[in-house]
Amino acid sequence: MTVESIPVKAAPKSLVWDGDELVSAVGGGRRWGRDGVERPAPFAWSFPFDAGTASASGHYSAVYQERGTKAVLLGGERVARELNRSYYHASSYDYPLALGALGDGREVVVHCPDEYNVLQIEDAASGERLTAGGREPEDVFHSRLSLSPDGRYLLSVGWLWQPFGTALVYDTALALSDPGTLDGDGLLPTAAVMNGEVTAGCWLDADRLVLATGAEEWDEEETVGLPSRHLGVWSVSEGRWLHRSPVGDAEPGVVLLPRGDQVISFTGHPRLLDTATGRVVAEWPEVGVPAKSACFGRQVPTPVAALHPDGTRLAVAQADRVALITLP
């Protein structure tokens, strides 16, 4: 395992891999190649965006204010359109936004453009709202959205008004014919996620998702849920936990990056975790990242990191460099 460094003029606020190059859309398209040389940004934003995301295909990306209401959708380096979210408590929790493709290959934007608790799926190219219709939303703040690799399912790691972090899973195919299905409890039973406070989640594949819990508890007597400071693997098709494992004293934080049957967590520094056991496979304490424990509350920057599609290299933004970690 090695850790290399790419010097940067300013810490990147977003990172994605484009082949073997790293790109920061928030930085106006700043780019770093294998030689470690920074290429100048082709454009600059006249707005203080501080976070970004991208679709798996790389066709679309977005920049946004993590605790604001404004975002911009990009098709390559071209601005496709502006995006907005509800002002309601926007300064108190992270912007809910996901990019990806549905089962039919259509690239979509998933966000909450009108109300904090109303998810919408829109065609990325045209802006057409695919989930228009009558809605009866519940009182949940959606955040940290992600689509499963096949686009069939949508994960929201958000919070309820306690505040207390929770997770919801929805069927996107069903939502296209019945948008109201995005308003209920979805496919993840409430009892499964109302023990420990859910702080992070990601998809391992089209069926399995990983959820992580912090130190807070809702119901310590609950036996079917995921306890505090645990890592759990849930099967959507089987409707049950495949694994529930303690993660020790280190809370997983708000970011999980999937890598086969492993995930990378970021609290203080990156850790490579085995999802079946919760065991720390490797960790890099010399690569510091913000210790952010929830998507709501006090504003702490979200760790900025990108895993290469081949799973061999992890890029982590630092104040004066990008750390490149060769994974075991």
Side-chain angles (χ1 to χ4, degrees):
M1 296 183 293
T2 60
V3 179
E4 301 175 81
S5 293
I6 296 176
V8 296
K9 298 175 182 177
K13 295 182 179 179
S14 70
L15 284 174
V16 296
W17 287 95
D18 181 12
D20 283 328
E21 293 189 322
L22 284 163
V23 184
S24 174
V26 176
R30 293 164 64 198
R31 186 177 289 263
W32 299 266
R34 293 184 70 94
D35 56 7
V37 176
E38 182 172 330
R39 276 63 169 174
F43 60 94
W45 298 107
S46 57
F47 191 82
F49 297 115
D50 59 9
T53 188
S55 62
S57 68
H59 293 157
Y60 289 93
S61 61
V63 296
Y64 55 95
Q65 268 194 320
E66 192 162 63
R67 293 294 176 92
T69 61
K70 300 297 182 182
V72 170
L73 178 67
L74 299 163
E77 294 182 356
R78 178 185 60 85
V79 172
R81 66 181 182 278
E82 293 187 18
L83 305 174
N84 293 280
R85 69 155 161 165
S86 169
Y87 72 92
Y88 189 62
H89 288 287
S91 63
S92 298
Y93 71 104
D94 296 347
Y95 199 121
L97 178 63
L99 307 179
L102 300 180
D104 59 6
R106 214 171 1 174
E107 296 267 357
V108 294
V109 178
V110 187
H111 61 149
C112 298
D114 303 318
E115 302 290 342
Y116 68 95
N117 56 348
V118 180
L119 291 162
Q120 298 287 2
I121 302 174
E122 297 175 350
D123 183 89
S126 67
E128 177 192 0
R129 185 165 294 183
L130 306 178
T131 47
R135 305 291 290 272
E136 295 181 3
E138 296 187 3
D139 192 16
V140 58
F141 290 81
H142 293 294
S143 190
R144 302 217 157 262
L145 307 178
S146 61
L147 288 161
S148 59
D150 62 354
R152 177 63 187 270
Y153 301 116
L154 170 67
L155 169 65
S156 169
V157 179
W159 57 288
L160 305 170
W161 190 258
Q162 295 303 316
F164 191 81
T166 190
L168 295 157
V169 174
Y170 300 103
D171 186 324
T172 61
L174 188 59
L176 296 184
S177 59
D178 183 2
T181 58
L182 293 174
D183 297 332
D185 292 336
L187 305 177
L188 190 60
T190 301
V193 291
M194 290 307 288
N195 188 351
E197 179 176 46
V198 179
T199 64
C202 69
W203 295 94
L204 290 182
D205 51 37
D207 177 64
R208 296 178 302 156
L209 66 93
V210 176
L211 296 178
T213 55
E216 297 295 323
E217 288 184 323
W218 180 280
D219 183 359
E220 62 183 14
E221 301 299 325
E222 179 59 66
T223 59
V224 299
L226 189 62
S228 61
R229 288 200 174 106
H230 268 62
L231 200 66
V233 180
W234 179 268
S235 168
V236 177
S237 64
E238 296 183 32
R240 67 180 181 93
W241 293 111
L242 303 178
H243 307 286
R244 289 184 290 175
S245 307
V247 291
D249 293 334
E251 296 183 30
V254 299
V255 177
L256 293 177
L257 296 182
R259 181 185 185 242
D261 288 326
Q262 301 171 328
V263 292
I264 305 166
S265 69
F266 300 83
T267 302
H269 63 266
R271 294 173 175 84
L272 182 64
L273 306 176
D274 180 86
T275 58
T277 65
R279 180 177 65 89
V280 177
V281 178
E283 58 183 320
W284 297 269
E286 69 273 29
V287 180
V289 297
K292 184 171 182 173
S293 60
C295 67
F296 57 86
R298 184 172 65 91
Q299 184 171 5
V300 177
T302 297
V304 175
L307 179 65
H308 193 281
D310 68 9
T312 63
R313 286 168 288 168
L314 175 69
V316 185
Q318 308 279 273
D320 58 352
R321 65 186 177 118
V322 173
L324 282 181
I325 300 173
T326 300
L327 299 175

Coordinates of all heavy atoms in Angstrom, one line a residue, residues 88-125:
Y88 N -36.6 25.5 2.9 CA -36.9 25.1 4.3 C -35.8 24.3 5.0 O -35.5 23.2 4.6 CB -38.2 24.3 4.2 CG -38.8 24.0 5.6 CD1 -39.3 25.0 6.4 CD2 -38.9 22.7 6.0 CE1 -39.9 24.7 7.6 CE2 -39.5 22.4 7.3 CZ -40.0 23.4 8.0 OH -40.6 23.2 9.3
H89 N -35.2 25.0 6.0 CA -34.1 24.4 6.7 C -32.9 24.0 5.8 O -32.1 23.1 6.2 CB -34.5 23.2 7.6 CG -35.4 23.6 8.7 ND1 -34.8 24.2 9.9 CD2 -36.7 23.5 9.0 CE1 -35.8 24.5 10.7 NE2 -36.9 24.0 10.2
A90 N -32.8 24.6 4.6 CA -31.7 24.2 3.7 C -30.3 24.5 4.3 O -29.4 23.7 4.0 CB -31.9 25.0 2.4
S91 N -30.2 25.4 5.2 CA -28.9 25.7 5.8 C -28.6 24.7 6.9 O -27.5 24.7 7.4 CB -28.9 27.1 6.4 OG -29.8 27.2 7.4
S92 N -29.5 23.8 7.2 CA -29.3 22.8 8.3 C -29.0 21.4 7.9 O -28.7 20.6 8.7 CB -30.6 22.8 9.2 OG -30.8 24.1 9.8
Y93 N -29.0 21.1 6.5 CA -28.7 19.7 6.1 C -28.3 19.7 4.7 O -28.5 20.7 3.9 CB -30.0 18.8 6.3 CG -31.1 19.1 5.4 CD1 -31.3 18.2 4.3 CD2 -32.0 20.1 5.6 CE1 -32.4 18.4 3.4 CE2 -33.1 20.3 4.7 CZ -33.3 19.5 3.6 OH -34.3 19.7 2.8
D94 N -27.6 18.6 4.3 CA -27.0 18.5 3.0 C -28.0 18.4 1.8 O -29.0 17.7 1.9 CB -26.0 17.3 3.0 CG -24.9 17.5 4.0 OD1 -24.7 18.6 4.5 OD2 -24.2 16.5 4.2
Y95 N -27.6 19.1 0.7 CA -28.4 19.1 -0.5 C -28.7 17.7 -1.0 O -27.8 16.9 -1.2 CB -27.7 19.9 -1.5 CG -28.5 20.5 -2.7 CD1 -28.5 21.8 -2.9 CD2 -29.2 19.6 -3.5 CE1 -29.2 22.4 -4.0 CE2 -29.9 20.1 -4.6 CZ -29.9 21.5 -4.8 OH -30.6 22.0 -5.9
P96 N -30.0 17.4 -1.2 CA -30.4 16.0 -1.7 C -30.3 16.1 -3.2 O -31.1 16.7 -3.9 CB -31.8 15.8 -1.2 CG -32.4 17.2 -1.1 CD -31.2 18.2 -0.8
L97 N -29.4 15.3 -3.8 CA -29.2 15.3 -5.3 C -28.4 14.1 -5.7 O -27.4 13.7 -5.1 CB -28.4 16.6 -5.7 CG -28.0 16.7 -7.2 CD1 -29.3 16.9 -8.0 CD2 -27.1 17.9 -7.3
A98 N -29.0 13.4 -6.7 CA -28.3 12.2 -7.3 C -28.5 12.2 -8.8 O -29.5 12.6 -9.3 CB -29.0 10.9 -6.7
L99 N -27.4 11.8 -9.5 CA -27.4 11.6 -10.9 C -27.2 10.2 -11.2 O -26.4 9.5 -10.5 CB -26.3 12.5 -11.5 CG -26.3 14.0 -11.2 CD1 -25.1 14.6 -11.9 CD2 -27.6 14.6 -11.6
G100 N -27.8 9.7 -12.3 CA -27.6 8.3 -12.7 C -28.5 7.9 -13.8 O -29.1 8.8 -14.5
A101 N -28.6 6.6 -14.1 CA -29.4 6.1 -15.2 C -30.4 5.1 -14.7 O -30.1 4.3 -13.9 CB -28.5 5.5 -16.3
L102 N -31.6 5.2 -15.3 CA -32.7 4.2 -15.0 C -32.4 2.9 -15.8 O -31.5 2.9 -16.6 CB -34.1 4.8 -15.4 CG -34.5 6.1 -14.6 CD1 -35.8 6.5 -15.1 CD2 -34.4 5.8 -13.1
G103 N -33.3 1.9 -15.6 CA -33.1 0.7 -16.3 C -33.1 0.7 -17.8 O -32.4 -0.1 -18.4
D104 N -33.8 1.7 -18.3 CA -33.9 1.8 -19.8 C -32.7 2.7 -20.3 O -32.7 3.0 -21.5 CB -35.2 2.4 -20.2 CG -35.5 3.8 -19.6 OD1 -34.5 4.4 -18.9 OD2 -36.6 4.4 -19.8
G105 N -31.8 3.0 -19.5 CA -30.6 3.8 -19.9 C -30.8 5.3 -19.9 O -29.9 6.1 -20.1
R106 N -32.0 5.8 -19.5 CA -32.3 7.2 -19.5 C -31.5 7.8 -18.3 O -31.7 7.4 -17.2 CB -33.8 7.4 -19.3 CG -34.3 8.6 -20.0 CD -35.8 8.7 -20.0 NE -36.5 7.6 -19.3 CZ -37.8 7.5 -19.1 NH1 -38.6 8.5 -19.5 NH2 -38.4 6.5 -18.5
E107 N -30.7 8.9 -18.6 CA -30.0 9.6 -17.5 C -31.0 10.5 -16.8 O -31.8 11.2 -17.5 CB -28.9 10.4 -18.1 CG -27.8 9.6 -18.8 CD -26.7 9.3 -17.8 OE1 -26.7 9.7 -16.7 OE2 -25.7 8.5 -18.2
V108 N -31.0 10.5 -15.5 CA -31.9 11.3 -14.7 C -31.3 12.1 -13.6 O -30.1 11.8 -13.2 CB -33.0 10.4 -14.1 CG1 -33.9 9.7 -15.2 CG2 -32.4 9.3 -13.2
V109 N -32.0 13.1 -13.1 CA -31.7 13.8 -11.9 C -32.7 13.5 -10.9 O -33.9 13.6 -11.2 CB -31.7 15.3 -12.2 CG1 -31.4 16.1 -11.0 CG2 -30.7 15.7 -13.3
V110 N -32.3 13.2 -9.7 CA -33.2 13.0 -8.6 C -32.9 14.0 -7.5 O -31.8 14.2 -7.1 CB -33.1 11.6 -8.0 CG1 -34.2 11.3 -6.9 CG2 -33.1 10.5 -9.0
H111 N -33.9 14.8 -7.2 CA -33.8 15.9 -6.2 C -35.1 16.2 -5.6 O -36.1 15.6 -5.8 CB -33.0 17.0 -6.8 CG -33.7 17.7 -7.9 ND1 -33.6 19.1 -8.2 CD2 -34.6 17.2 -8.9 CE1 -34.3 19.4 -9.3 NE2 -34.9 18.3 -9.7
C112 N -35.1 17.3 -4.8 CA -36.3 17.8 -4.1 C -36.5 19.3 -4.5 O -36.3 20.2 -3.7 CB -36.2 17.7 -2.6 SG -36.1 16.0 -2.0
P113 N -37.0 19.5 -5.8 CA -37.0 20.9 -6.3 C -38.1 21.8 -5.7 O -37.9 23.0 -5.7 CB -37.2 20.7 -7.8 CG -37.9 19.4 -7.9 CD -37.4 18.6 -6.8
D114 N -39.1 21.2 -5.2 CA -40.3 22.0 -4.7 C -40.4 22.0 -3.2 O -40.6 23.0 -2.5 CB -41.6 21.5 -5.3 CG -41.5 21.5 -6.8 OD1 -41.0 22.5 -7.4 OD2 -42.0 20.6 -7.4
E115 N -40.4 20.8 -2.6 CA -40.6 20.6 -1.1 C -39.5 19.8 -0.6 O -39.0 18.9 -1.3 CB -41.9 20.0 -0.8 CG -43.1 20.8 -1.4 CD -43.4 22.1 -0.6 OE1 -42.8 22.2 0.5 OE2 -44.1 23.0 -1.2
Y116 N -39.1 20.0 0.7 CA -38.0 19.3 1.3 C -38.3 17.8 1.4 O -37.4 16.9 1.4 CB -37.8 19.8 2.7 CG -38.9 19.5 3.7 CD1 -38.8 18.4 4.5 CD2 -40.0 20.4 3.8 CE1 -39.9 18.2 5.4 CE2 -41.0 20.1 4.6 CZ -41.0 19.0 5.5 OH -42.0 18.7 6.3
N117 N -39.6 17.4 1.4 CA -40.0 16.0 1.6 C -40.6 15.4 0.3 O -41.2 14.3 0.4 CB -40.9 15.9 2.8 CG -42.2 16.7 2.6 OD1 -42.2 17.6 1.7 ND2 -43.2 16.5 3.5
V118 N -40.5 16.0 -0.8 CA -41.0 15.5 -2.1 C -39.9 15.2 -3.1 O -39.3 16.1 -3.6 CB -42.1 16.4 -2.7 CG1 -42.6 15.8 -4.0 CG2 -43.2 16.7 -1.7
L119 N -39.6 13.9 -3.3 CA -38.6 13.5 -4.3 C -39.2 13.6 -5.7 O -40.4 13.2 -5.9 CB -38.2 12.1 -4.0 CG -37.4 11.8 -2.7 CD1 -37.4 10.4 -2.3 CD2 -35.9 12.3 -2.9
Q120 N -38.4 14.0 -6.6 CA -38.8 14.1 -8.0 C -37.7 13.5 -8.9 O -36.5 13.6 -8.6 CB -39.0 15.5 -8.5 CG -40.2 16.2 -7.8 CD -41.6 15.7 -8.2 OE1 -41.7 14.8 -9.0 NE2 -42.6 16.3 -7.6
I121 N -38.1 12.7 -9.9 CA -37.1 12.2 -10.9 C -37.4 12.9 -12.2 O -38.5 13.0 -12.7 CB -37.4 10.7 -11.1 CG1 -37.2 9.9 -9.7 CG2 -36.4 10.1 -12.1 CD1 -37.5 8.4 -9.8
E122 N -36.3 13.5 -12.7 CA -36.4 14.3 -14.0 C -35.4 13.8 -15.0 O -34.3 13.3 -14.7 CB -36.1 15.8 -13.7 CG -37.1 16.4 -12.7 CD -36.7 17.8 -12.4 OE1 -35.6 18.2 -12.7 OE2 -37.5 18.5 -11.7
D123 N -35.9 13.8 -16.3 CA -35.0 13.5 -17.4 C -33.8 14.5 -17.4 O -34.1 15.7 -17.5 CB -35.8 13.5 -18.7 CG -34.9 13.1 -19.9 OD1 -34.8 11.9 -20.2 OD2 -34.3 14.0 -20.5
A124 N -32.6 14.0 -17.4 CA -31.5 14.9 -17.3 C -31.4 15.8 -18.6 O -31.1 17.0 -18.5 CB -30.2 14.2 -17.1
A125 N -31.6 15.2 -19.7 CA -31.4 15.9 -21.0 C -32.5 17.0 -21.2 O -32.2 18.1 -21.6 CB -31.4 15.0 -22.2

